[in-house]
Amino acid sequence: MYRVLLATLSELCAQEIPPELKSAAPSGVRHNSWLAGRLLLNRVISPLPEIVYGDQGKPAFAGDLPLWFSLSHSGDHIALLVSDEGEVGCDIEVIRPRNNWRSLANAVFSQAEHCEIEQEHPAQQLDAFWRIWTRKEAIIKQRGGSAWEIVSVDSCNPLNLHLSHSHRAGLSLAVCTPTPFTLAADQIESVGEEK
């Protein structure tokens, strides 16, 4: 089973927040993303089990609970992937202009990933950049790795992992799963007014 939920930080954080979450939330820039992530998780599993962090900071449920999850946010958008199949990773990015995207791609993309961009019409190459970027991030998150590993990840050759991507309303969303899963529009649950 895989569940993908998509929401906005602003809508989730505008809801009534349980006092125990409110008091546990970090202050500062991570406050809203942390709260939104816990609120999304609470929609899937309630009461929410204790969350622990691995060596590289990957969150997981404590104990022997056979559920795995991955959270990602970009701008006001947040995505959650939950699985009972094994470790998962997801990444979401707002598709936006980035002046140095070609330099960044030259620094961290594989030859196969460069070929994928070059096969696109020039007007679609920025979208291809974000598609590849989210796939690479989803792989790293599935492994529990560090963002510094992005250069060593080839999303065209995910090595016994399954990648799926969706482009939706100016968003690039990718998931990395241990078993086959296709990220189709009907597989994404919108929370709140996000369409």
Side-chain angles (χ1 to χ4, degrees), residues 25-137:
S27 57
V29 296
R30 291 189 51 234
H31 180 80
N32 283 354
S33 62
W34 188 94
L35 274 177
R38 295 312 185 273
L39 290 167
L40 273 182
L41 280 166
N42 198 50
R43 284 178 178 266
V44 176
I45 183 168
S46 184
L48 193 57
E50 179 187 2
I51 296 174
V52 295
Y53 296 88
D55 293 340
Q56 299 281 344
K58 181 176 173 116
F61 293 124
D64 296 329
L65 187 64
L67 287 175
W68 295 265
F69 69 92
S70 180
L71 284 159
S72 180
H73 74 279
S74 178
D76 191 39
H77 300 276
I78 185 166
L80 168 66
L81 171 61
V82 179
S83 163
D84 64 0
E85 306 275 333
E87 289 289 355
V88 292
C90 79
D91 189 53
I92 188 169
E93 294 289 343
V94 174
I95 297 173
R96 60 199 180 274
R98 186 177 184 128
N99 293 336
N100 67 339
W101 75 264
R102 287 194 187 275
S103 297
L104 187 56
N106 287 337
V108 301
F109 283 11
S110 70
Q111 186 60 41
E113 291 165 338
H114 279 289
C115 288
E116 184 176 331
I117 288 176
E118 293 306 316
Q119 290 175 0
E120 295 285 343
H121 185 277
Q124 299 304 313
Q125 288 182 348
L126 180 63
D127 286 353
F129 167 81
W130 287 114
R131 179 178 65 236
I132 294 166
W133 185 269
T134 56
R135 290 190 329 229
K136 289 171 85 73
E137 287 272 355

Side-chain angles (χ1 to χ4, degrees), residues 175-195:
V175 297
C176 181
T177 56
T179 59
F181 173 70
T182 301
L183 186 60
D186 63 346
Q187 297 288 340
I188 302 171
E189 300 174 41
S190 293
V191 176
E193 294 184 9
E194 177 66 33
K195 300 295 178 211

Side-chain angles (χ1 to χ4, degrees), residues 160-173:
N160 300 319
L161 296 171
H162 301 272
L163 287 172
S164 187
H165 178 268
S166 177
H167 181 186
R168 170 185 173 139
L171 299 172
S172 180
L173 176 63

